[in-house]
Amino acid sequence: YDTYQINPLVIYPGINLTIKSRVSSGDYILGYTRWQLAKNPWFFLQLAQRLPKRKFLVAGEWSNKLEELEFRNEIKDQHLESQVYLQTKVTQKDLQKIAGRSFVWVHPHFEAFGMSGLEMAALGLPLIIPKGSGVTELFTDNREGFFPQSFKLEEISTLIKSIAANPNQAKRMGSMATITAKKFT
């Protein structure tokens, strides 16, 4: 306001309403986006080491096939093949399936917006993404997910354990996330 003497109207990106919302109750911790190493997929390998009984689904296409190969090789090198799964081809139809197999969406990288978060919220997943990412402006911390200021391994592990230990809380958060996300179509 101070610079231009106007009150801007912010118009957020919207989701496709042809996706069917559902409250998810799967077993996976989901990381879904268009991947590149700069988006910190390594964080899921660190989480897997810290949460050895949990399964992770890292879904989405990779911008660089060499980076994808490097990440695949690191999964093998760390012997995490039975815990960390990659799904690199994801269609609009697949979004419902991957959300249904998951109980939370985690994004370990600050995003200017984070369209994947809006899509996963519409599908009933609680969100964990760094505070200040654009999508966090649409949701309330501790209601539709968690938006920590610093994305530290210990804190994120604790949040995931909390959601996993309280399936009713996860379903409530996912339901609230869906209701909020549907306002942005």
Side-chain angles (χ1 to χ4, degrees):
Y1 180 82
D2 293 338
T3 303
Y4 299 105
Q5 309 303 304
I6 62 167
N7 288 318
L9 172 64
V10 177
I11 300 174
Y12 294 99
I15 56 166
N16 180 350
L17 263 186
T18 60
I19 59 177
K20 295 177 186 164
S21 62
R22 60 186 297 272
V23 175
S24 301
S25 58
D27 295 330
Y28 287 89
I29 297 162
L30 176 63
Y32 164 69
T33 193
R34 181 168 184 84
W35 288 106
Q36 57 192 25
L37 294 183
K39 289 193 176 186
N40 196 16
W42 310 111
F43 192 78
F44 291 101
L45 303 184
Q46 294 171 321
L47 278 173
Q49 296 284 354
R50 191 167 186 102
L51 303 170
K53 294 182 180 180
R54 291 283 164 206
K55 293 183 180 179
F56 297 81
L57 176 57
V58 179
E61 293 199 33
W62 285 70
S63 300
N64 180 312
K65 293 299 178 193
L66 290 175
E67 290 184 350
E68 176 190 339
L69 182 60
E70 183 179 342
F71 187 68
R72 281 184 186 280
N73 289 337
E74 192 60 31
I75 291 170
K76 288 178 187 172
D77 291 348
Q78 292 188 31
H79 307 289
L80 295 171
E81 302 94 338
S82 64
Q83 194 179 355
V84 179
Y85 304 94
L86 283 183
Q87 182 176 340
T88 58
K89 300 290 183 202
V90 179
T91 66
Q92 193 71 19
K93 223 180 209 182
D94 293 331
L95 292 180
Q96 292 171 289
K97 291 177 189 171
I98 64 174
R101 293 169 52 193
S102 306
F103 68 92
V104 64
W105 176 77
V106 177
H107 192 69
H109 177 72
F110 174 83
E111 292 287 347
F113 184 72
M115 194 65 193
S116 299
L118 187 58
E119 290 172 319
M120 292 301 106
L123 290 168
L125 287 178
L127 312 176
I128 299 178
I129 186 171
K131 184 179 183 99
S133 293
V135 75
T136 65
E137 294 176 15
L138 307 180
F139 300 100
T140 303
D141 191 20
N142 293 310
R143 188 175 74 190
E144 292 104 345
F146 298 107
F147 314 130
Q149 189 72 43
S150 61
F151 220 79
K152 294 188 174 147
L153 184 61
E154 184 175 322
E155 181 179 8
I156 303 309
S157 299
T158 300
L159 292 173
I160 290 170
K161 287 177 186 176
S162 171
I163 291 173
N166 299 295
N168 289 334
Q169 175 196 18
K171 287 179 182 181
R172 267 193 314 278
M173 289 179 122
S175 293
M176 293 301 297
T178 298
I179 290 166
T180 302
K182 284 188 172 185
K183 296 176 184 176
F184 302 94
T185 62

